[in-house]
Each structure stands twice: as C-alpha cells, then as structure tokens.
Amino acid sequence: MLDLFRNIFAPPRDLILLVAAAWIGMSLTEKRAARSHAEKSLVSNLIFYGVLAYLLGGRIFYALEHLPAFTQSPLSLISPNTSAFDSWGALAAALIAGFVYGQRKGMLFWSTLDALTPFFALLAIGIGFSHLASGAAFGIETTVPWGINLWGAIRQPTQIYEIIASLVTFGVIWFRKANSKPGSDFLLFAALTSASRLVIEGFRGDSTLVLGGIRSAQVIAWLILAISLVALELLKPRVIPAEVVEKVEPVMETKRKEVKRNAPSVPTGATTTSKKTPSSKTKSVTAKRKSSKD
Amino acid sequence: MQPIYRRILYGFILLAGLVWIFASVDKTGASTAGRIPAPQKGFLAPDFALKTPTGQTYTLSQLKGKAVLVNIWATWCPPCRAEMPTIQKFYQQYQSQGLVVLGVNATAQDNPLDIVPFVTQYGLTFPILLDETNDLGSKYNLRSLPSSFFVNRDGTIADVVIGGPMSDALLQTDIETILKSPAN
C-alpha cells in the first residue's frame, strides 16, 4: 500500500499532492472567511498573489544567485525544473506580496491570518503526504512494529506522524467555536504545528545538529511554541476576579433598579429587543423580603 | 479554564518541550548530514560498483575527491535523450577541472541492444554504466527517469534533480557547485 502510494507520487509527482492540498485549503478558506470577518474575494486574491509570488520569487531569487549561468542561457528561467528554486526567496516574495496586497486593500492583520489558517493547515497535511511520497524528512532506524522500510532500513514513520499531527491540528482549527478573539485561530495553529514538530523532530533521522547533538529544528519549534502561547494568552479576554465581582455586583444591581424605575412603560403589544430576568441574587433578596413581611 | 490553570498548563508544555529536546539529543551524531548513505541532498551518496559495456568497473567510493554527476537514464526516455547533449557539452567543458560524469543506464528496464547505438548517436564520451540488476536503482530509490545526483568531492550529495530535461543553467550551476566543493 505504502509502496504503491510512493510509486504513484514519486518526485516530481509529489507536487500534485501539494497542489491538491493548496486547492482544497483555498476552498475551505473561502468557506470560512466570513467567520474571521474577512472578505472572501480578498482572501482568495491574497492566496492567489501569494502563491504566484512564491513561484516567481523562488525562480527569480535562484536566477539572481546564479546570474552568470542564467545570463548564458536566459531560457532556463522558464524551465520546468523544480530544483532551480530558492525556497527562502520564494517565501520572502510571498510574504512581501501578501503584505503589500493586504495593506492596499486595508485587510485586518489578525483576521486575515485567521481566515488563512485552514489554508496553512491543509498545506501542512499536503507537505506531510509529499514527504511520505518522496521519502524526505525520514525517521531514525527503529525496531518498533510500525516502522517503515526506507533508505535500506526500518525507520520511524515520521512522515506518517507528520500527517496525523497535521490532520489533528486541522481538526482542532476547523471544529473549534467561532467566539475567539482575532488571531487566536492562527496562533493556535502555530502552537499546535510547532508542538508537533518539536515532538516528531526527535524521531527524525535527517536533523541538522548543533551544540552536542541538539536538533536545531526543535529549538526553533520550541521558540515558536513559546511565542504562540504567550501571544495566545495576551489575546484572551481578561477574567475579572471574584472579589471584584462581589464588590461591583451590588452597585450594578442598584443601577439596574434605577434604570427599571425610570424607564417609560412599554405599551401593550410592543416588543422589546431583550428581556432582562432578575438575577439569582435579586430573586433571593426578593424572597427574603417576602418572608420578612410574612 | 481559569487563567492561572491555563498558564500552568502552558508552562508545563514548554517545560516538557525542553525536556524532550534534551532527551532526544542525538549523542551518536547518527543523523548528521553526510554520514548516512541516502539518495538525499546533504547525505552521503550510496556506494555502487557497475560495469561499462566493455567490462570496466567503476566504483563511486573510489572517485572520492572528484566532483561526480550520476545521471540515470534509458534509451526510450525522451527527457533523457533531450538532456544528453547538454551533459556531454558540460562534461567536455569541465572534465579538466575534475568533473566525472557517470551515465548509468537503467538496463533492468531498457533494451541492452539499444544502448551502444544510443551512445554513438549522441557522441557520448563519458563512461556509460549498466545497472542490470537494478542495484543502483534500489539504492537511489529510482522512480523517475532521468534522475541526476550531483556528488561533492567529499562524497555527499549536493543536489538531486528528478525528471528532466535539466536546463542548461541548472546543470551548469550544479556542476560548478560540486567542482567548488572541498575534498574533505
């Protein structure tokens, strides 16, 4: 089954998985844009320009890095070789394009990031499948029964872990309630993604090591996780302590009564937008008064 | 959840993350790029020994110190045919600087009788190796033709190009990269 999958989507066909994930992600993002108070068409355009800038930027930055070779054969600029691509340059170009477009259209930063989160989450799933197909991001040698045969050894199926973690992250993002503060969808996605990377990296067989064997990707993932959690905490609405509520509640109750007393009587048949019911505290006070009268 | 409990939970998650970073430290250095033989960029190129149609054996590990392009091809594959003249051109241009091109024919999925006429037709002067048992194909996880592996002088893979034809600029860039690589 795994071999069949890897044969079908062997590089460069693994890019099909990425394109499919991006397409589904874009559709879901359009569906969810309104929830994040972002305009559907603007978010779609943002993704389109971002992806376009990513592709063009990746090739242009690569060509600039190797200018003499491209000067000798300018047609190479439009060759379909995916290797002639600078990923960091592509990412920078996409971010710049997205930022410029968002600024020009007056898009709200956190709301836009929230709207884009399903796209990022689906892309993460696509990357996991792409890694499984290409055999990239492989695991260390292992004896666990669920190990996969890759590069001449039984290895931890880190690509499958990656897919599962991405699916869970997507599920959490997709099915969570919509009453959160702007930015919380994106920050939660960042926290979950970095946490899963932090864990899965420990099973990877291709980590870049620093300082006596520490995996650099884990350090970066930990930092992103910490920033995301702190930012999430800052975004949360402040909860008023119980003692403050106890002090404020009697004052509020008096004010409510005053408002009720001074309010004009509602004519028969008229409707009100909201009907206030007495709080449990008021009810108990009323009951006490009644009992004292009795 | 109360903010205090949430903060404790976040703190615990971060602490657990730190513990895991140190628990999963790779003490053996086994995952250091360049030590594991794998057909991946940055890793040691898996060794192989293959024969030419005339019976001469080439072993990759014996070419350490030289910049090596391993190009896997078949006579029936159109992109392989399309990129052969460019490979030959750059082989002639950079051979004197230490470039070795190994044109590995995927013989297990090709007609052996077509190989020599193919080489003659394209005027290829670099060594042509025959992968009759798919030994190299298996080691290099061959799933698409052509596939090219640019091997640094220290034996690590500088770039992997799956599919083709490779553009002139890409080929030249990758060849110049491996030629500039240090021997150790």
Side-chain angles (χ1 to χ4, degrees), chain B residues 129-151:
Chain B
L129 309 179
L130 307 177
D131 186 21
E132 290 168 312
T133 56
N134 199 34
D135 175 53
L136 180 136
S138 169
K139 283 178 180 171
Y140 280 74
N141 198 33
L142 181 66
R143 287 201 166 89
S144 295
L145 287 172
S147 289
S148 298
F149 297 85
F150 293 85
V151 183

Side-chain angles (χ1 to χ4, degrees), chain A residues 7 11 81 151 215 222 233, chain B residues 7 14 24 143-144 162 167:
Chain A
N7 279 325
N81 299 138
W151 310 135
R215 298 161 197 266
W222 189 89
E233 192 58 26
Chain B
R7 284 169 197 159
L14 291 175
S24 60
R143 287 201 166 89
S144 295
I162 309 289
S167 68

Side-chain angles (χ1 to χ4, degrees), chain A residues 109-123:
Chain A
F109 182 75
W110 287 113
S111 299
T112 306
L113 281 181
D114 279 344
L116 289 172
T117 301
F119 176 74
F120 297 143
L122 255 296
L123 212 53

Side-chain angles (χ1 to χ4, degrees), chain A residues 198-248:
Chain A
L198 177 61
V199 174
I200 295 167
E201 187 70 24
F203 300 108
R204 287 267 292 262
D206 62 343
S207 302
T208 305
L209 306 179
V210 290
L211 299 170
I214 291 175
R215 298 161 197 266
S216 59
Q218 280 186 318
V219 177
I220 295 166
W222 189 89
L223 287 172
I224 294 172
L225 176 63
I227 293 167
S228 306
L229 291 179
V230 169
L232 263 175
E233 192 58 26
L234 292 174
L235 281 179
K236 295 274 180 192
R238 286 191 183 281
V239 177
I240 304 164
E243 58 267 24
V244 177
V245 174
E246 277 176 19
K247 280 180 190 172
V248 170

Side-chain angles (χ1 to χ4, degrees), chain A residues 94-106:
Chain A
L95 287 175
I96 291 167
F99 186 76
V100 169
Y101 182 81
Q103 285 287 307
R104 285 183 69 128
K105 298 291 176 185

